[in-house]
Amino acid sequence: MNFKKNNKFIILLLILLMLILTSCGVVSNKKTATISRTEFLMDTVMTIRIYHKSDKKILDKAFDRLKEIEAKMSSTIETSEVSNINNNAGIKPVTVSPDTYFVIKEAKRFAELSLGAFDPTIGPLVDLWDIKAGERERDFIPSNREVENMKTLVNYKKLELLDNNQVFLKEKNMKLALGSIVKGYATDEVKKVLSESNANSAIIDLGGNVFAHGVKEDDMPWKIGIQNPFGLPGEYLGVIRVKDKSVVTSGDYERYFFFNGEKYNHIIDPSTGYPVNNEITGVSIITARSIDADALSTTLFVLGLDKGIELINSTDYANAIFITKAKEVYIGKELKDKFDLIKELISFIPKEY
Ligand code: AMP
Ligand code: MG
């Protein structure tokens, strides 16, 4: 064998060795590694998927933070800080952690902004209607009197935020329910945990409360599917392209039941005490902070199309996509070149606002 031939032979051998090692998984390409985990928390399925990282401890930290937030802010966990506030309604203020205080303060801010369409003291009505996932038919609804009675307990103006992280519900039997905002806050907190661990490319999906963290690769935006309210879970109506943004949807197809042929969903209009029944079937909000998107999606669902558009246009930090029961899709001007309807869905009518 001459020198040239020998060299060729060695190179071939090296390539062969690399192929074997790669296929055995010995040579791991750290840059393209993906780690993900799914758990059931806060009454929903939560998935965190991190790209270009392989250290599973980042996932441990993120889920530990989620469990901590649930333990503090769930109104169904008897030992939570929120339960402590509820148990002391009309009795005395309760000191909570800065975490819980912050979320309640934000919730009260959205209640004020929407003049009570969004109301974190909705607890008595949530309990009365008790609308669960997976329920489809019911042969009873609460009486008018029960609804009226519970409605008198819902009033964000009687939710006091005092100094030193103290919170007070001024009337007995008032009750906080933060289900419309906690997942948004939790999403922001997971994003913080990931950034601290230098994980800068991830999809955080806390039961449809999505955050597209950083970019996937090559500075390309993420594509986030918007649920088709008339389709099966996971069937998209359109796709939105975003970088470092949260996309949160509230819809009447998430939790609902039918009674006498009428649909009753899990979002309640505090002004009537009844589940919302307006022209909207779903509304998606796009913001930089997930807590804003979560609170606003619930708020706009209650407000309806006209007042919803008015409110979203009065902010400089949020965009919205409204889907009506008549299959119109209202897309904000700023989203025009970022959102595409699925072509095959020809019965939907795109509209700009
Ligand atoms: P979301 O899915 O984020 O729109 O939140 C819906 C949840 O928020 C419901 O399951 C209730 O616990 C609670 N909720 C219902 N109606 C309201 C309302 N008008 N304001 C604030 N929270 C509400
Ligand atoms: Mg919400």
Side-chain angles (χ1 to χ4, degrees):
M1 246 193 257
N2 64 25
F3 178 73
K4 239 183 166 178
K5 257 195 176 165
N6 214 354
N7 226 3
K8 248 189 186 169
F9 181 69
I10 289 169
I11 288 170
L12 263 170
L13 207 71
L14 274 175
I15 289 173
L16 200 70
L17 195 71
M18 265 183 66
L19 278 173
I20 292 167
L21 285 176
T22 312
S23 66
C24 292
V26 179
V27 177
S28 80
N29 186 346
K30 275 226 162 122
K31 188 131 181 53
T32 55
T34 302
I35 47 172
S36 101
R37 188 177 298 166
T38 299
E39 283 194 35
F40 192 81
L41 284 170
M42 299 185 196
D43 215 16
T44 196
V45 180
M46 302 192 158
T47 299
I48 302 171
R49 179 181 295 272
I50 305 172
Y51 295 86
H52 318 311
K53 287 273 169 197
S54 51
D55 182 3
K56 294 218 167 98
K57 285 203 192 87
I58 308 172
L59 289 168
D60 293 342
K61 272 192 221 158
F63 276 96
D64 283 351
R65 182 75 180 113
L66 287 172
K67 283 167 198 161
E68 184 187 9
I69 292 168
E70 182 180 32
K72 284 178 178 177
M73 299 182 208
S74 163
S75 48
T76 53
I77 296 175
E78 203 33 47
T79 52
S80 75
E81 294 180 344
V82 166
S83 290
N84 196 16
I85 296 168
N86 292 341
N87 293 336
N88 284 291
I91 302 170
K92 63 173 196 292
V94 163
T95 305
V96 295
S97 60
D99 259 356
T100 306
Y101 191 82
F102 173 77
V103 174
I104 297 172
K105 205 170 107 198
E106 288 293 280
K108 181 156 177 169
R109 191 167 65 79
F110 281 103
E112 283 162 351
L113 181 73
S114 66
L115 302 174
F118 179 92
D119 195 325
T121 69
I122 197 82
L125 283 169
V126 170
D127 287 353
L128 180 68
W129 286 97
D130 193 26
I131 298 177
K132 297 189 185 77
E135 196 179 2
R136 289 296 169 260
E137 291 283 341
R138 206 183 264 194
D139 54 11
F140 69 95
I141 57 166
S143 70
N144 256 328
R145 237 183 73 193
E146 284 175 299
V147 172
E148 285 304 318
N149 281 342
M150 291 303 135
K151 213 178 84 176
T152 60
L153 294 170
V154 176
N155 186 351
Y156 65 94
K157 290 177 185 154
K158 291 183 180 170
L159 162 63
E160 280 194 345
L161 286 135
L162 308 161
D163 290 342
N164 303 320
N165 295 332
Q166 289 199 314
V167 183
F168 184 40
L169 291 169
K170 283 166 95 174
E171 305 271 342
K172 258 199 144 56
N173 297 319
M174 281 183 77
K175 188 174 177 183
L176 284 177
L178 301 177
S180 53
I181 192 165
V182 163
K183 278 189 279 162
Y185 176 70
T187 306
D188 292 331
E189 288 302 294
V190 167
K191 185 198 142 182
K192 237 189 243 172
V193 169
L194 301 195
S195 297
E196 280 161 13
S197 303
N198 211 16
N200 295 317
S201 176
I203 291 287
I204 305 160
D205 181 351
L206 309 189
N209 207 110
V210 176
F211 198 97
H213 180 42
V215 290
K216 194 170 178 186
E217 53 204 343
D218 304 331
D219 210 32
M220 292 295 284
W222 301 95
K223 290 178 182 165
I224 307 293
I226 305 280
Q227 172 68 34
N228 176 357
F230 304 92
L232 294 169
E235 267 179 36
Y236 298 141
L237 169 119
V239 172
I240 179 120
R241 290 180 296 279
V242 288
K243 286 181 196 175
D244 251 322
K245 287 270 184 315
S246 184
V247 182
V248 180
T249 301
S250 286
D252 65 3
Y253 49 86
E254 291 170 340
R255 291 170 192 224
Y256 62 91
F257 65 80
F258 280 97
F259 169 73
N260 273 351
E262 287 251 7
K263 193 175 185 179
Y264 294 79
N265 79 92
H266 70 307
I267 301 174
I268 298 163
D269 184 342
S271 71
T272 64
Y274 281 78
V276 173
N277 188 7
N278 57 28
E279 63 279 80
I280 296 179
T281 180
V283 55
S284 301
I285 310 288
I286 296 97
T287 56
R289 283 200 323 167
S290 197
I291 192 169
D292 293 331
D294 195 3
L296 281 174
S297 70
T298 313
T299 307
L300 266 54
F301 191 89
V302 178
L303 285 177
L305 191 61
D306 291 344
K307 283 190 187 158
I309 289 178
E310 207 178 296
L311 193 145
I312 212 78
N313 282 341
S314 76
T315 74
D316 57 1
Y317 59 89
N319 290 305
I321 297 168
F322 300 84
I323 305 157
T324 69
K325 290 171 182 161
K327 292 197 167 179
E328 299 149 322
V329 186
Y330 285 82
I331 305 150
K333 280 184 208 72
E334 296 89 349
L335 297 177
K336 221 176 75 187
D337 49 356
K338 296 192 177 74
F339 178 76
D340 290 317
L341 270 175
I342 303 285
K343 277 195 199 74
E344 291 74 27
L345 297 174
I346 49 171
S347 58
F348 286 89
I349 311 150
K351 302 228 171 185
E352 207 181 295
Y353 71 84

